[in-house]
Amino acid sequence: MVSVTRRETFSASHRLYNPVFSEEQNRAVFDKCANPNGHGHNYVLEVTVTGTPDPATGYVVDLKELKRIIRAEVTDKLDHRNLNMDVEFLRNVIPTAENIAVAIWRVLESKIPSGVLSCVRLRETENNVVEYRGGQ
Amino acid sequence: MVSVTRRETFSASHRLYNPVFSEEQNRAVFDKCANPNGHGHNYVLEVTVTGTPDPATGYVVDLKELKRIIRAEVTDKLDHRNLNMDVEFLRNVIPTAENIAVAIWRVLESKIPSGVLSCVRLRETENNVVEYRGGQ
Amino acid sequence: MVSVTRRETFSASHRLYNPVFSEEQNRAVFDKCANPNGHGHNYVLEVTVTGTPDPATGYVVDLKELKRIIRAEVTDKLDHRNLNMDVEFLRNVIPTAENIAVAIWRVLESKIPSGVLSCVRLRETENNVVEYRGGQ
Amino acid sequence: MVSVTRRETFSASHRLYNPVFSEEQNRAVFDKCANPNGHGHNYVLEVTVTGTPDPATGYVVDLKELKRIIRAEVTDKLDHRNLNMDVEFLRNVIPTAENIAVAIWRVLESKIPSGVLSCVRLRETENNVVEYRGGQ
Amino acid sequence: MVSVTRRETFSASHRLYNPVFSEEQNRAVFDKCANPNGHGHNYVLEVTVTGTPDPATGYVVDLKELKRIIRAEVTDKLDHRNLNMDVEFLRNVIPTAENIAVAIWRVLESKIPSGVLSCVRLRETENNVVEYRGGQ
Amino acid sequence: MVSVTRRETFSASHRLYNPVFSEEQNRAVFDKCANPNGHGHNYVLEVTVTGTPDPATGYVVDLKELKRIIRAEVTDKLDHRNLNMDVEFLRNVIPTAENIAVAIWRVLESKIPSGVLSCVRLRETENNVVEYRGGQ
């Protein structure tokens, strides 16, 4: 079993805010991430697929095809967008890195052309990164 | 003459849009950067000061003090903000990287504690960076 | 279960030296790392916490609080210090990256505000990094 | 158990091509990676060894010795070489990153001086990386 | 005057070899870079354009257009290619980083849509980079 | 004229301290950099040589030779050393990045095999870098 990881990027804005919280609670929990007019990041997405290399090609997964799928299903829908307002698969999700990573997993899980999806890693800043490996 | 550069970061959202253009013109010029709900970046700011090292300290500029000034005057005002709406020194500026860099230069120019400001470099993504060295 | 990683840095000096070894043994084992007057590194520390995102916040752990704890308990005590002489929690420890990582784990293990500590990664140079995941 | 990773680099050329495929099949599967005169990469190799730090040295593995072995057994044989033509341990292997990583594992597995080999990671470009952890 | 830099990448193979030298001379001058079957690199190209931001757009140069030109004129012709054999604009050029950078300058110089070309920087490895600013 | 830059690294310890200052003055000027037992950094040194590529080789300078000189004259003398105590060419120098860069320039200036030394850049941390281009 070999793991293959493809890295893609997107630039988006968001605001962390829970509408059931008061303004004071939102400020207490999310601090400057709750600023009313939003802020943004250059996100780095790494998608890992694990499987056995095909003896005829030496590929676990065709990276050209994996790249095409990640772009069509995920990053084309997130890039240069507002994650609170513009993205169907994030509707009603507080767009923390944790929640975005889990949402990306759900979008990609059934679309991997060979091997199985084993990790979605999402870097929000050079200091903060989250990782989801499926399951509960 | 030795140059000393301090790197700071901020995360912000923006939208590229000129109100005197029609929607079609904005879309033609700014493409997805004109998306109505904005997007964002992790900006990397590098501020360079040039001068002669003080023989008693070996410093061109005290980097602790330069860092304090950059944060107080620039990055604390930009970080986790919307560059079109929230920043006094960007009022009525289309927030392209070029325009932000020139605006930061104007804020910092008179506040450098020793040496002289010689470069403001602003990285918007891993692929795009601008640099302003003052003058016309 | 989602993993969240916070990156912090510190700059410190150390010397690798076992007082029960002879000078020749120290030189044979630790080579230039045993130089008598020490040397130093810019260490990069990555602390990973794993748990279930809180449905009300979307957070596994509040990164502002995790950052505060890492700084107060670990990096403020290591930064700009001599790891052989200045750090209480490294007393009598040969400050290899392996030993520092395990010591940092022990400091942090009981202080994680939500989720559980799952990895301490310590990069000593761009070519050398260690990782401790707890247990025996 | 602590993991220790050593990073080494090499620059090599290769061509992805299966001689049992027709030209059309090679082009369909490998696209521009099948260009007849080859292309190349700066590969980044990370070799991870896992074990218990020796109480007398604080080392899982002596990184100077691990570095010497990786260079002698692997990177000196790959650096500034053509991976299709010049490397004994890649004879008859389609030099995809997956296949190179597995081949490097087989070369190194029995030569680790202390601890056990636990991961070979091979970065082919800034966007593509593979990882092999042994086993089936 | 503001400088704007666009970064693009390509992966290529090459061999350093002067046909008027003997084999011994080629080996003496170019060492392992003269290995007969070639080697390769992930090149990082940075193209800098300098000018005055257009007041109506805030752009020195439209980066989407600059990117399109760099790809069409340069990196699409170099990526996944052999620099000794496959590239019209490198015909009869020893493909050192110096010579490639000057050749790229000549290709791009007249095609910059606004501002003027002021720097071509070409990184061959993480340790080696060249820069050409035109002129003699 | 083309510029060629070689990057080398070294890990060293230092303490910023002026013996003619009182303890209070040293603490006021150098803050935690004045801690009595020192601290350290992974320094990144970039040496730039500028000249005309030799038509027979395509080289401004033979990077193998430049690397050998930088190591023999500079980094072998600094790596795994205490910059206050162990380095002949830093005797009686307060080892700020500015002063180290100027001292390295003086060591290298007359030893460049072809082209001329045009820049010494020294990165002390990911946030702080200095650059010296000779002259007064």
Side-chain angles (χ1 to χ4, degrees):
Chain A
M1 301 286 279
V2 178
S3 292
V4 176
T5 299
R6 176 71 192 175
R7 174 184 178 277
E8 294 287 334
T9 62
F10 60 95
S11 295
S13 59
H14 72 161
R15 181 195 184 195
L16 300 187
Y17 180 84
N18 186 336
V20 309
F21 289 171
S22 68
E23 286 306 307
E24 290 70 24
Q25 284 175 304
N26 273 299
R27 174 55 63 176
V29 171
F30 296 116
D31 196 59
K32 61 187 180 180
C33 295
N35 280 346
N37 297 318
H39 63 283
H41 300 288
N42 299 325
Y43 290 89
V44 180
L45 172 65
E46 293 177 322
V47 174
T48 302
V49 173
T50 301
T52 305
D54 180 330
T57 64
Y59 281 167
V60 165
V61 61
D62 181 344
L63 276 167
K64 294 180 296 298
E65 179 65 3
L66 181 61
K67 164 180 154 181
R68 194 194 59 73
I69 291 166
I70 297 171
R71 292 188 178 184
E73 302 292 338
V74 179
T75 58
D76 286 355
K77 295 177 175 171
L78 300 176
D79 189 38
H80 282 71
R81 296 290 172 181
N82 181 309
L83 303 181
N84 300 75
M85 295 191 237
D86 296 338
V87 185
E88 190 58 43
F89 72 77
L90 294 176
R91 195 73 62 197
N92 297 319
V93 171
I94 302 172
T96 60
E98 291 93 323
N99 283 346
I100 303 169
V102 172
I104 290 173
W105 175 284
R106 288 180 184 153
V107 168
L108 288 177
E109 193 174 14
S110 63
K111 300 193 177 64
I112 302 302
S114 60
V116 296
L117 181 63
S118 58
C119 187
V120 169
R121 188 180 299 115
L122 185 66
R123 182 170 295 278
E124 197 172 71
T125 71
E126 64 187 5
N127 295 324
N128 299 343
V129 60
V130 304
E131 196 175 288
Y132 182 56
R133 295 181 169 272
Q136 293 307 316
Chain B
M1 301 287 279
V2 178
S3 292
V4 176
T5 299
R6 176 72 192 175
R7 174 185 179 275
E8 293 287 332
T9 63
F10 61 95
S11 295
S13 59
H14 73 160
R15 182 195 182 193
L16 301 187
Y17 180 85
N18 186 336
V20 308
F21 288 172
S22 68
E23 288 304 309
E24 290 68 25
Q25 284 175 303
N26 273 299
R27 174 56 63 174
V29 172
F30 297 116
D31 196 59
K32 63 187 178 180
C33 295
N35 280 346
N37 297 315
H39 63 282
H41 300 289
N42 300 326
Y43 290 89
V44 180
L45 171 65
E46 293 177 322
V47 174
T48 302
V49 173
T50 301
T52 306
D54 181 329
T57 64
Y59 283 166
V60 166
V61 61
D62 181 344
L63 275 168
K64 294 179 296 299
E65 180 64 3
L66 182 60
K67 163 181 153 181
R68 193 193 60 72
I69 291 165
I70 298 171
R71 291 188 178 184
E73 303 292 338
V74 179
T75 57
D76 286 354
K77 295 176 176 171
L78 300 176
D79 189 39
H80 283 71
R81 296 289 172 183
N82 182 309
L83 302 181
N84 300 74
M85 295 191 237
D86 297 337
V87 185
E88 190 58 44
F89 72 77
L90 295 176
R91 196 74 61 196
N92 296 319
V93 171
I94 302 173
T96 60
E98 290 93 323
N99 283 346
I100 304 169
V102 173
I104 291 173
W105 175 284
R106 288 179 184 155
V107 169
L108 288 177
E109 193 174 12
S110 62
K111 300 194 177 64
I112 302 301
S114 60
V116 297
L117 183 62
S118 59
C119 186
V120 168
R121 188 180 298 114
L122 186 66
R123 182 170 294 278
E124 197 173 70
T125 71
E126 64 187 6
N127 295 325
N128 299 343
V129 60
V130 304
E131 198 175 286
Y132 181 57
R133 295 182 169 272
Q136 293 309 315
Chain C
M1 303 286 280
V2 178
S3 292
V4 176
T5 298
R6 175 72 193 175
R7 174 185 179 275
E8 294 288 331
T9 62
F10 61 94
S11 295
S13 60
H14 73 160
R15 182 195 182 194
L16 300 187
Y17 180 84
N18 185 337
V20 308
F21 289 172
S22 67
E23 286 306 308
E24 290 70 24
Q25 285 175 302
N26 273 298
R27 175 55 63 175
V29 171
F30 297 115
D31 197 58
K32 62 187 179 181
C33 295
N35 279 347
N37 298 317
H39 63 283
H41 300 289
N42 299 326
Y43 290 89
V44 180
L45 172 65
E46 293 177 322
V47 174
T48 303
V49 173
T50 301
T52 305
D54 180 330
T57 64
Y59 281 168
V60 166
V61 61
D62 181 344
L63 275 167
K64 295 180 296 298
E65 178 65 3
L66 181 61
K67 165 180 153 180
R68 193 193 60 73
I69 291 167
I70 298 171
R71 292 189 177 183
E73 303 291 337
V74 179
T75 57
D76 286 353
K77 295 176 176 172
L78 300 177
D79 189 38
H80 282 71
R81 297 290 172 179
N82 181 308
L83 303 180
N84 300 75
M85 294 190 239
D86 296 337
V87 185
E88 190 59 42
F89 71 76
L90 294 176
R91 196 74 62 196
N92 296 318
V93 171
I94 302 173
T96 59
E98 290 94 322
N99 283 346
I100 303 169
V102 172
I104 290 172
W105 175 284
R106 288 179 185 153
V107 168
L108 288 177
E109 192 174 14
S110 62
K111 300 194 177 63
I112 301 303
S114 60
V116 295
L117 181 64
S118 60
C119 187
V120 168
R121 187 180 299 114
L122 185 66
R123 183 170 294 278
E124 198 174 69
T125 71
E126 64 187 5
N127 295 324
N128 299 342
V129 59
V130 304
E131 197 175 287
Y132 182 57
R133 295 183 169 272
Q136 292 309 316
Chain D
M1 302 287 279
V2 178
S3 291
V4 176
T5 299
R6 175 73 192 174
R7 174 184 178 276
E8 294 287 332
T9 63
F10 61 94
S11 296
S13 59
H14 73 161
R15 181 196 184 193
L16 301 187
Y17 180 84
N18 185 335
V20 309
F21 289 171
S22 67
E23 287 306 308
E24 290 70 22
Q25 285 175 303
N26 273 297
R27 174 56 62 176
V29 172
F30 296 115
D31 196 58
K32 62 187 179 179
C33 295
N35 279 347
N37 297 317
H39 63 282
H41 300 289
N42 299 326
Y43 290 89
V44 180
L45 172 65
E46 293 177 322
V47 174
T48 302
V49 173
T50 301
T52 305
D54 181 330
T57 63
Y59 281 167
V60 166
V61 61
D62 181 345
L63 275 168
K64 294 180 296 299
E65 179 65 2
L66 182 60
K67 164 181 154 181
R68 193 193 60 72
I69 291 166
I70 297 170
R71 292 188 178 185
E73 303 291 338
V74 179
T75 57
D76 286 353
K77 295 177 175 171
L78 300 177
D79 189 38
H80 282 71
R81 297 290 172 180
N82 181 310
L83 303 181
N84 299 76
M85 295 190 238
D86 296 337
V87 185
E88 190 59 42
F89 72 77
L90 293 176
R91 196 74 61 196
N92 297 318
V93 171
I94 302 172
T96 59
E98 291 93 322
N99 283 346
I100 303 169
V102 172
I104 290 173
W105 175 283
R106 288 179 184 153
V107 168
L108 288 178
E109 192 174 13
S110 62
K111 299 194 177 63
I112 301 303
S114 59
V116 297
L117 181 63
S118 59
C119 186
V120 168
R121 188 180 299 114
L122 186 66
R123 183 170 295 278
E124 198 173 70
T125 71
E126 63 188 7
N127 294 324
N128 299 343
V129 59
V130 304
E131 197 174 287
Y132 181 58
R133 296 182 168 272
Q136 292 307 318
Chain E
M1 301 286 278
V2 179
S3 292
V4 176
T5 299
R6 176 71 193 175
R7 174 184 178 276
E8 294 287 332
T9 62
F10 61 95
S11 296
S13 59
H14 73 159
R15 182 196 182 194
L16 300 188
Y17 179 85
N18 186 336
V20 309
F21 289 172
S22 68
E23 287 304 309
E24 291 69 23
Q25 284 175 304
N26 273 299
R27 173 58 61 173
V29 171
F30 297 115
D31 196 59
K32 62 187 179 180
C33 295
N35 280 345
N37 297 316
H39 62 282
H41 299 290
N42 299 325
Y43 290 89
V44 180
L45 171 65
E46 293 177 323
V47 174
T48 303
V49 173
T50 300
T52 305
D54 181 329
T57 64
Y59 283 167
V60 166
V61 61
D62 180 344
L63 275 167
K64 293 179 297 299
E65 179 64 2
L66 182 60
K67 163 181 153 181
R68 193 194 60 72
I69 291 166
I70 297 171
R71 291 188 179 185
E73 302 292 336
V74 180
T75 57
D76 286 355
K77 295 176 176 173
L78 300 177
D79 189 38
H80 282 72
R81 296 290 173 183
N82 181 310
L83 303 181
N84 300 74
M85 295 190 237
D86 296 339
V87 184
E88 190 58 44
F89 72 77
L90 294 176
R91 196 74 61 197
N92 296 320
V93 171
I94 302 174
T96 60
E98 290 93 324
N99 283 346
I100 302 169
V102 173
I104 290 172
W105 175 283
R106 289 179 184 154
V107 169
L108 289 177
E109 194 174 12
S110 62
K111 300 193 177 65
I112 301 302
S114 60
V116 297
L117 182 63
S118 59
C119 186
V120 168
R121 187 180 300 115
L122 186 66
R123 183 171 292 278
E124 197 172 70
T125 70
E126 63 187 6
N127 295 323
N128 300 342
V129 59
V130 305
E131 198 174 286
Y132 182 58
R133 293 181 170 274
Q136 294 308 315
Chain F
M1 302 285 279
V2 178
S3 292
V4 177
T5 299
R6 175 72 192 175
R7 174 184 177 277
E8 294 287 333
T9 63
F10 61 95
S11 295
S13 59
H14 73 159
R15 182 195 182 193
L16 301 187
Y17 179 85
N18 186 336
V20 310
F21 288 171
S22 68
E23 287 304 309
E24 290 68 26
Q25 285 175 303
N26 273 298
R27 174 56 63 175
V29 172
F30 296 115
D31 197 59
K32 62 187 178 179
C33 295
N35 280 345
N37 297 315
H39 62 283
H41 299 289
N42 299 325
Y43 290 89
V44 180
L45 172 65
E46 293 177 323
V47 174
T48 303
V49 172
T50 301
T52 305
D54 180 330
T57 64
Y59 282 167
V60 166
V61 60
D62 181 344
L63 275 168
K64 294 179 297 297
E65 179 64 3
L66 182 60
K67 163 181 154 181
R68 193 194 59 73
I69 291 166
I70 297 171
R71 292 187 178 185
E73 302 292 337
V74 180
T75 56
D76 287 354
K77 294 176 176 171
L78 300 176
D79 189 38
H80 282 72
R81 296 290 172 181
N82 182 309
L83 303 181
N84 300 75
M85 295 190 238
D86 296 337
V87 184
E88 190 58 43
F89 72 76
L90 294 176
R91 195 74 60 198
N92 296 319
V93 171
I94 302 173
T96 60
E98 290 93 323
N99 283 346
I100 304 170
V102 173
I104 291 172
W105 175 284
R106 289 180 183 153
V107 169
L108 287 177
E109 194 174 12
S110 63
K111 300 193 176 66
I112 302 302
S114 60
V116 297
L117 182 63
S118 58
C119 186
V120 168
R121 188 180 298 114
L122 186 66
R123 183 171 292 278
E124 197 172 71
T125 70
E126 64 187 7
N127 294 324
N128 300 342
V129 60
V130 304
E131 199 174 286
Y132 181 58
R133 295 181 168 272
Q136 293 309 316

